[in-house]
Amino acid sequence: MKKDRMREEEEEPLSPMARVFQSRGIDYCAVTMIGFKTKIKPDVILDALKHNVYKHPRFSTKLSSDGAKWIETKVNVEDHVVVPYIDPEEIGEDGESFIDDYTSRLTMNPMDRSRPLWDIHILNVKTSDAEAVGVVRTHHTLGDGTSMVSLLLACTHKTSDANTVSTIIPSLKRRERYKNKGWFLRSMFTVGSTMRLVWNTIVDVLLLVATMLSLKDTKTHLKGGVDVGCNPKRFYHRTISLDDIILIKNTLNMTINDVLVGITQASLSSYLNRLYENKNEEDGALIPYPNNLPGGIRFRAGCTVNLRSETGFKPLTDMMARDSICRWGNYFSFIVLPFSIGLQTDPLVYLKLSKSMMDRKKHSYHAHLAYWMIKICQKLLGAKLAAELFKRTVTNTTTCLSNVVGPMEEISFHGNPITYISPSGYGHSQALLIHFMSYSGRMTISLAVDPNIIPDPRKICDEMEHSLKAMKAALWENGLL
């Protein structure tokens, strides 16, 4: 009996989203590629892990047989660190291709559930933007992007000051609207705002239920299917100017998320237009039209939403505390964004459309209700049905967006300066995943694609880079800068 009591104390139940991510048919993993300015010393990594891995319970626990609880276990660090043999002569100057092929093969290699669900791959291969690349693979049950960035900060230090831990991301409280207005105006705003909130929430929930059941996006060159989650994925990243994004944000009184959604809508519209143009030429069209997109395209993106009451980051020790308001785990939900796919002569129109859409979504309990629907469904109908409803939502939409705030200054890991951080994932039933992460004055765009459906993802990155430049140029032409 004493032994059973000790076992119960060592076990901890999974959160609702974590239960979904490890369900049968849904096996979501996160892959974070970290570029370093110097070669990585495996011995340094192993030594650091041996001294610190037991400080974090998620990295020293495994899933129970039914996937409902975490169980403490012994960790053999050597089993989690992979240093493959690399022949420099065989790779030559094509380090990017080696990294692409290696990470793609990794997506077809399932994680061993008999031990903690993480591993680190050290690739001392020179690429165009790094001397070496570290690939960190974790199962999504371990935590969301906010959690993983807090862990990264706890393991690194500022490059400019090796004695200073990387706690350089501000913690922001959600803004209160109409705080300084008079009581009458506040009352009027409250009534009108509440009515809009209720209406937006009802509409969003009805559309979410319809999507869970049968409402599908239009079949385009970017749309995946049910079997896409089992296919190998390939990862690509591109770094663009964060200063340009902030400039547009401040000029048009938007948020960074508004700008990123606008850039994404513009770039995917242009990308699809080029593909439909090629199709029209193959079909023998005699007159090339600038706009080759068919009308009435239903194109939606799932967008992750942090449910924590504070939108910044806390030290890892604070996040691990039981009563923390910014706690570790998968405390996020999603909203479904209806993209406007079409060519616009003025690139600023995409920004206006994204701001309008995002403002409306912020004035809705869509994300919170989606989370509670999954939680209630798990309790009443079982984890299997809850996972199936979540999977249908993902399958019936086209893509997924995520934006994570990263360190504002350059950081280093045991003396190795980090040049970029590129988070992504695989296991989703979508052919395209788009992740954004800011780091040291730059914004990294990370794509995860099914190469059978999207063979040329670099062109999507090209379109995103071009869209940002076109929006900045449009601000100059309109005299707004």
Side-chain angles (χ1 to χ4, degrees):
M1 181 178 288
K2 184 177 180 181
K3 186 176 180 181
D4 292 340
R5 193 184 305 116
M6 289 178 62
R7 180 176 178 84
E8 288 178 3
E9 290 175 354
E10 292 173 352
E11 294 183 355
E12 182 180 346
L14 273 71
S15 66
M17 293 304 294
R19 287 291 303 275
V20 167
F21 291 150
Q22 61 81 45
S23 301
R24 183 178 297 275
I26 302 179
D27 195 20
Y28 290 0
C29 293
V31 174
T32 303
M33 288 183 280
I34 303 175
F36 291 91
K37 291 185 177 181
T38 58
K39 297 297 183 184
I40 305 172
K41 297 179 180 179
D43 293 342
V44 174
I45 303 294
L46 285 168
D47 184 65
L49 289 172
K50 288 177 181 178
H51 285 87
N52 294 287
V53 69
Y54 286 102
K55 296 179 181 179
H56 195 296
R58 287 295 170 271
F59 285 75
S60 57
T61 55
K62 63 180 181 179
L63 286 173
S64 60
S65 58
D66 60 357
K69 295 181 179 179
W70 294 108
I71 304 175
E72 287 188 26
T73 185
K74 183 178 179 180
V75 182
N76 185 6
V77 172
E78 285 80 2
D79 293 339
H80 295 266
V81 178
V82 181
V83 187
Y85 171 74
I86 299 172
D87 186 354
E89 295 183 0
E90 182 179 345
I91 297 174
E93 299 295 326
D94 197 12
E96 275 85 359
S97 294
F98 176 85
I99 300 294
D100 293 345
D101 294 340
Y102 186 93
T103 52
S104 181
R105 290 194 300 270
L106 204 60
T107 65
M108 298 306 294
N109 183 20
M111 304 195 79
D112 185 355
R113 296 203 174 198
S114 66
R115 62 191 188 190
L117 298 174
W118 61 274
D119 50 43
I120 297 175
H121 302 255
I122 299 174
L123 308 177
N124 281 314
V125 176
K126 180 179 175 59
T127 63
S128 60
D129 50 5
E131 288 292 327
V133 177
V135 181
V136 182
R137 182 173 65 153
T138 57
H139 201 279
H140 216 314
T141 51
L142 269 64
D144 54 19
T146 300
S147 299
M148 292 304 172
V149 172
S150 72
L151 178 62
L152 175 67
L153 293 176
C155 297
T156 57
H157 58 82
K158 292 183 181 181
T159 301
S160 59
D161 185 359
N163 297 319
T164 305
V165 180
S166 307
T167 54
I168 49 180
I169 300 178
S171 183
L172 305 174
K173 291 185 178 181
R174 300 189 186 276
R175 294 178 294 180
E176 296 182 13
R177 305 179 67 186
Y178 318 126
K179 185 176 180 180
N180 297 321
K181 303 290 185 181
W183 70 269
F184 179 75
L185 286 178
R186 283 205 308 271
S187 300
M188 295 299 293
F189 279 132
T190 300
V191 172
S193 179
T194 302
M195 292 177 66
R196 284 198 302 123
L197 178 64
V198 172
W199 174 252
N200 290 344
T201 302
I202 292 173
V203 173
D204 287 342
V205 170
L206 290 176
L207 288 174
L208 177 61
V209 172
T211 303
M212 288 180 174
L213 298 178
S214 61
L215 185 62
K216 298 181 180 180
D217 280 4
T218 305
K219 184 66 176 178
T220 65
H221 297 284
L222 296 175
K223 183 73 172 69
V226 177
D227 299 329
V228 168
C230 302
N231 295 342
K233 300 296 188 297
R234 300 189 77 87
F235 304 101
Y236 299 91
H237 72 271
R238 180 76 56 86
T239 300
I240 58 178
S241 172
L242 179 60
D243 290 338
D244 287 347
I245 294 173
I246 293 175
L247 177 66
I248 295 173
K249 173 189 88 74
N250 293 337
T251 302
L252 299 179
N253 192 26
M254 309 173 72
T255 67
I256 287 181
N257 283 337
D258 296 340
V259 179
L260 294 178
V261 171
I263 292 172
T264 304
Q265 286 188 113
S267 58
L268 295 184
S269 295
S270 181
Y271 176 81
L272 285 173
N273 185 65
R274 293 179 186 275
L275 293 181
Y276 280 108
E277 178 182 7
N278 294 337
K279 184 178 185 302
N280 290 340
E281 291 177 356
E282 292 174 1
D283 292 342
L286 299 178
I287 303 175
Y289 292 97
N291 188 348
N292 299 282
L293 293 169
I297 292 180
R298 181 187 293 119
F299 189 109
R300 294 171 298 168
C303 181
T304 58
V305 177
N306 183 8
L307 294 181
R308 298 169 178 86
S309 58
E310 292 191 1
T311 58
F313 289 84
K314 290 288 186 181
L316 183 61
T317 52
D318 291 351
M319 293 192 73
M320 296 306 300
R322 286 186 177 273
D323 298 329
S324 174
I325 59 176
C326 190
R327 53 189 171 174
W328 177 280
N330 284 287
Y331 293 99
F332 77 98
S333 185
F334 62 93
I335 56 177
V336 179
L337 301 178
F339 274 16
S340 298
I341 298 298
L343 291 189
Q344 303 290 343
T345 56
D346 182 2
L348 299 182
V349 172
Y350 293 109
L351 295 172
K352 296 176 182 177
L353 291 171
S354 69
K355 178 173 173 54
S356 175
M357 175 176 57
M358 295 296 284
D359 284 347
R360 184 202 170 284
K361 289 294 182 179
K362 292 170 190 173
H363 206 65
S364 167
Y365 282 127
H366 180 174
H368 292 81
L369 287 177
Y371 182 86
W372 284 106
M373 285 170 66
I374 292 174
K375 186 174 183 178
I376 293 172
C377 186
Q378 284 180 348
K379 288 185 176 181
L380 299 181
L381 303 176
K384 184 177 180 180
L385 181 58
E388 179 61 28
L389 292 176
F390 178 82
K391 183 178 180 180
R392 284 191 183 186
T393 305
V394 175
T395 304
N396 290 340
T397 54
T398 302
T399 186
C400 182
L401 301 180
S402 176
N403 176 33
V404 178
V405 181
M408 294 183 292
E409 299 179 18
E410 185 182 89
I411 59 176
S412 297
F413 179 78
H414 286 265
N416 286 17
I418 294 175
T419 180
Y420 72 83
I421 306 170
S422 174
S424 194
Y426 67 91
H428 302 67
S429 297
Q430 292 172 324
L432 173 65
L433 297 182
I434 304 173
H435 289 77
F436 298 95
M437 183 169 179
S438 58
Y439 170 60
S440 186
R442 302 180 298 276
M443 179 68 75
T444 299
I445 305 168
S446 303
L447 304 183
V449 303
D450 183 336
N452 297 319
I453 298 176
I454 307 174
D456 51 357
R458 288 187 176 86
K459 291 185 179 179
I460 297 179
C461 292
D462 293 340
E463 294 291 352
M464 287 188 165
E465 198 168 6
H466 173 75
S467 296
L468 177 60
K469 292 178 180 178
M471 290 170 181
K472 184 179 178 182
L475 292 179
W476 281 106
E477 293 173 1
N478 286 276
L480 298 176
L481 293 180

